[in-house]
């Protein structure tokens, strides 16, 4: 029986002075704090038996993956299925009293939060992410793999593995910036899941 661990890492803090929902919009890079977060979390893997490293194609995940590449000595594979979830509110301010979601013209997109009606269905996100996890498991069988992705895609993996309903309240997510969600496989089956946030004090 072989043991394989697939680690899902969320990117570090993004430079976003406009405080918009950037989603898949290109060009959003890490802040200086985000770079420090990525470096701190990467150091946790020094000496680990990591044989596969992949990241979403977006700039913030590619930048987060760089210190992991230095620590592990691995090139970063680009996996498009690790990308941020699709969202039709990209480019808008969506939090607080200045949220642009208060405008009635956008209310039809909010009609079904269980799908959700404003973006990529939860089931589709979960399917593509679990497929990415399985590919990583195969690539690193008997060793460890690191996948650098985004909050909602990682949460979809967490909830799938734990047998929870995919629709959820966003404020109940356990997926901090530069955090690590680790899936332990015995052969092809997941036997454990654990979470850590090495950069939480930065």
């Amino acid at each position: 029986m072989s043991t394989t661990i697939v680690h899902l890492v969320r990117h570090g803090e993004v430079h976003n002075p406009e405080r918009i929902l950037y989603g898949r919009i290109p060009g959003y890079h890490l802040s200086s704090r985000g770079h420090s977060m990525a470096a701190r979390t990467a150091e946790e893997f020094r000496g680990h038996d990591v044989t596969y490293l992949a990241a979403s194609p977006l700039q913030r995940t590619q930048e987060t993956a760089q210190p992991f590449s230095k620590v592990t000595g691995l090139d970063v594979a680009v996996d498009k299925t690790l990308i941020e979830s699709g969202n039709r509110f990209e480019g808008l301010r969506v939090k607080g009293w200045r949220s642009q979601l208060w405008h009635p013209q956008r209310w039809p997109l909010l009609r079904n939060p269980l799908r959700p009606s404003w973006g990529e269905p939860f089931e589709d996100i979960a399917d593509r992410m679990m497929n990415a996890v399985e590919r990583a498991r195969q690539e690193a069988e008997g060793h460890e793999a690191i996948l650098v992705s985004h909050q909602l895609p990682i949460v979809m993996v967490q909830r799938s593995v734990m047998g929870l309903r995919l629709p959820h309240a966003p404020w109940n997510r356990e997926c901090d910036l530069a955090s690590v969600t680790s899936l332990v496989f015995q052969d092809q089956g997941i036997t454990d899941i654990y979470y850590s946030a090495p950069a939480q004090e930065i």
Side-chain angles (χ1 to χ4, degrees), residues 5 7 43-51 71-72 144 194:
I5 306 177
H7 305 279
E43 280 299 318
E44 290 293 303
F45 289 91
R46 190 171 295 281
H48 280 234
D49 185 23
V50 180
T51 60
V71 165
T72 63
E144 298 177 58
Y194 55 93

Side-chain angles (χ1 to χ4, degrees), residues 149-178:
S149 188
H150 308 267
Q151 185 186 56
L152 181 56
I154 293 173
V155 169
M156 291 295 94
V157 172
Q158 294 172 342
R159 297 184 74 83
S160 295
V161 170
M162 293 187 288
L164 301 174
R165 293 175 68 248
L166 298 182
H168 63 285
W171 50 87
N172 287 333
R173 294 173 183 169
E174 185 177 53
C175 190
D176 292 336
L177 292 166

Side-chain angles (χ1 to χ4, degrees), residues 32-79:
S32 58
R33 179 172 177 252
H35 282 288
S36 296
M37 287 176 157
R40 175 65 184 84
T41 299
E43 280 299 318
E44 290 293 303
F45 289 91
R46 190 171 295 281
H48 280 234
D49 185 23
V50 180
T51 60
Y52 181 70
L53 172 62
S56 153
L58 294 174
Q59 185 171 346
R60 59 189 181 273
T61 42
Q62 289 293 311
E63 291 179 358
T64 299
Q66 287 310 304
F68 291 85
S69 178
K70 292 178 181 178
V71 165
T72 63
L74 298 170
D75 291 333
V76 182
V78 177
D79 187 338

Side-chain angles (χ1 to χ4, degrees), residues 44-138:
E44 290 293 303
F45 289 91
R46 190 171 295 281
H48 280 234
D49 185 23
V50 180
T51 60
Y52 181 70
L53 172 62
S56 153
L58 294 174
Q59 185 171 346
R60 59 189 181 273
T61 42
Q62 289 293 311
E63 291 179 358
T64 299
Q66 287 310 304
F68 291 85
S69 178
K70 292 178 181 178
V71 165
T72 63
L74 298 170
D75 291 333
V76 182
V78 177
D79 187 338
K80 293 180 180 180
T81 62
L82 295 172
I83 198 166
E84 178 65 281
S85 55
N87 194 311
R88 293 176 65 183
F89 294 137
E90 284 179 0
L92 301 180
R93 182 185 291 269
V94 297
K95 294 182 179 179
W97 289 108
R98 294 179 62 194
S99 170
Q100 292 169 284
L101 299 187
W102 292 110
H103 197 291
Q105 72 177 19
R106 299 191 173 92
W107 292 353
L109 288 176
L110 298 169
R111 67 186 180 276
N112 184 7
L114 300 181
R115 187 175 193 266
S117 51
W118 56 83
E120 185 179 7
F122 292 133
E123 290 80 2
D124 292 357
I125 303 170
D127 286 347
R128 65 174 168 84
M129 286 297 294
M130 292 306 296
N131 286 336
V133 167
E134 174 57 19
R135 287 194 300 275
R137 184 199 66 79
Q138 293 178 18

